Amino acid sequence: MKKLTPDQLQQFDREGYLFFPGHFSREETSKLTDEVPGLYARREAYNVREKGKDAVRTNFAAHMYSEPFARLARHPRMIGPVMDLFDERVYMHQFKINGKAAFEGDVWQWHQDYGTWLNDDMMPTERAMNVAIFLDDVNEHNGPLMFIPGSHKKGVVEARHDLTTTSYPLWTVDNALIETLVERAGGKSSYDAEGRAVGGGIVSPKGPAGSMILFHSCLVHASGSNLSPWHRVSVYLSLCAVSNHIRRHKRPEFIAHRDFTPIDMLPDDCLLKDYPVDLPWQDGLPASALQTTSVPIDEMDQVTTKVVIPA
Ligand code: SIN
Ligand code: MN
């Protein structure tokens, strides 16, 4: 396993993210991209569509029913650096393929992921990492992620549960706080004599399909809508240190996973060779994956469960 360098560890601590352009080859990435239309076409609870549209906003848990994504979920080039940062083994807390479709992809409001994991899932601490892997080239036009560098240092910031703006509920950060955080991170960028942007409190890593970003679960981020004619499909994996597993099953299992077994990595060529993988949800979601409870796991003796189908 290739270790992160001291410079990378320092940069992660300071900025809250690390960008690895072209981390996976075109050949590797296409094994994943080719699967996406078939997955998005399924009329299943795990495909959340954009508000009032057919375009898929996010697909959950593909690693439980699609071979190439199950292999990605065990990829040493992705898991290795995360284990390096935590010095602990990790399990898959959440797995999404976000569509951000050409012309149709809607915004993701400003938020921190750990805010949701704490409020909804009772995840004890922020020892969980977000990984984004681009399945399409990402440029300034197709809704790149926006980060406020260093905002993870603020810990959990105030958020409110937004159930209306988009089709997916999120704990979002209000504009006044975003303004303060951006100002603190460098404010508005200026331009040098050659017209190049300098500084600025918002950054957007852009690059070819196959690029990877690791970002801290408290890093404040968002993305705009995609009015360009290019899709911006990206995989978002959330890897949680095993000791930090969630303590409540308030959200369905396909959104917040309940198997806390540490991930066993496959060899580095696993996207190109057909290593066998388990696909427990290949024949559809089990009823248990839709059951939720507001009672914490350690008080679950007499639990009542209800089935929710997200809109
Ligand atoms: C997310 O924050 O979970 C998704 C953001 C995006 O797809 O741009
Ligand atoms: Mn997020």
Side-chain angles (χ1 to χ4, degrees), residues 1 4 39 57 63 110 132 135 153 158 182 197 249 255 300:
M1 184 181 95
L4 293 172
L39 298 177
R57 176 175 181 75
H63 66 305
W110 286 107
L135 297 194
K153 297 270 188 196
E158 207 181 314
V182 170
H249 300 328
I255 296 181
M300 267 177 47

Side-chain angles (χ1 to χ4, degrees), residues 96 98 100 108 111 113 143-145 215 221-223 232 236:
K96 313 195 293 254
N98 285 3
K100 191 76 77 164
W108 287 79
H111 67 283
D113 283 23
L145 268 176
F215 61 104
H221 61 285
S223 63
R232 196 228 63 183
Y236 288 85

Side-chain angles (χ1 to χ4, degrees), residues 50-52 57 106-107 109 160-172:
E50 300 283 11
K51 206 171 184 175
R57 176 175 181 75
D106 203 353
V107 305
Q109 311 92 323
R160 84 186 163 84
H161 208 189
D162 181 348
L163 300 165
T164 57
T165 313
T166 65
S167 62
Y168 186 68
L170 212 55
W171 288 84
T172 60

Side-chain angles (χ1 to χ4, degrees), residues 81-214:
V82 179
M83 284 188 0
D84 211 11
L85 278 159
F86 286 147
D87 203 15
E88 186 180 341
R89 296 189 71 191
V90 293
Y91 79 93
M92 189 66 66
H93 169 59
Q94 188 174 78
F95 191 107
K96 313 195 293 254
I97 312 171
N98 285 3
K100 191 76 77 164
F103 301 112
E104 312 240 64
D106 203 353
V107 305
W108 287 79
Q109 311 92 323
W110 286 107
H111 67 283
Q112 293 177 308
D113 283 23
Y114 181 61
T116 304
W117 303 340
L118 173 68
N119 287 310
D120 288 348
D121 307 327
M122 290 180 67
M123 184 185 282
T125 75
E126 53 193 58
R127 278 172 65 77
M129 180 75 67
N130 269 320
V131 183
I133 295 170
F134 301 173
L135 297 194
D136 287 307
D137 298 349
V138 174
N139 56 43
E140 64 268 49
H141 307 294
N142 62 353
L145 268 176
M146 296 188 281
F147 293 143
I148 305 178
S151 53
H152 63 302
K153 297 270 188 196
K154 287 278 173 202
V156 182
V157 301
E158 207 181 314
R160 84 186 163 84
H161 208 189
D162 181 348
L163 300 165
T164 57
T165 313
T166 65
S167 62
Y168 186 68
L170 212 55
W171 288 84
T172 60
V173 180
D174 76 24
N175 293 350
L177 183 50
I178 295 301
E179 226 174 304
T180 311
L181 292 172
V182 170
E183 200 50 46
R184 179 181 154 271
K188 199 170 171 186
S189 51
S190 50
Y191 290 94
D192 66 12
E194 274 81 48
R196 285 182 303 241
V198 185
I202 300 180
V203 296
S204 283
K206 296 176 282 280
S211 300
M212 178 174 92
I213 312 172
L214 301 186

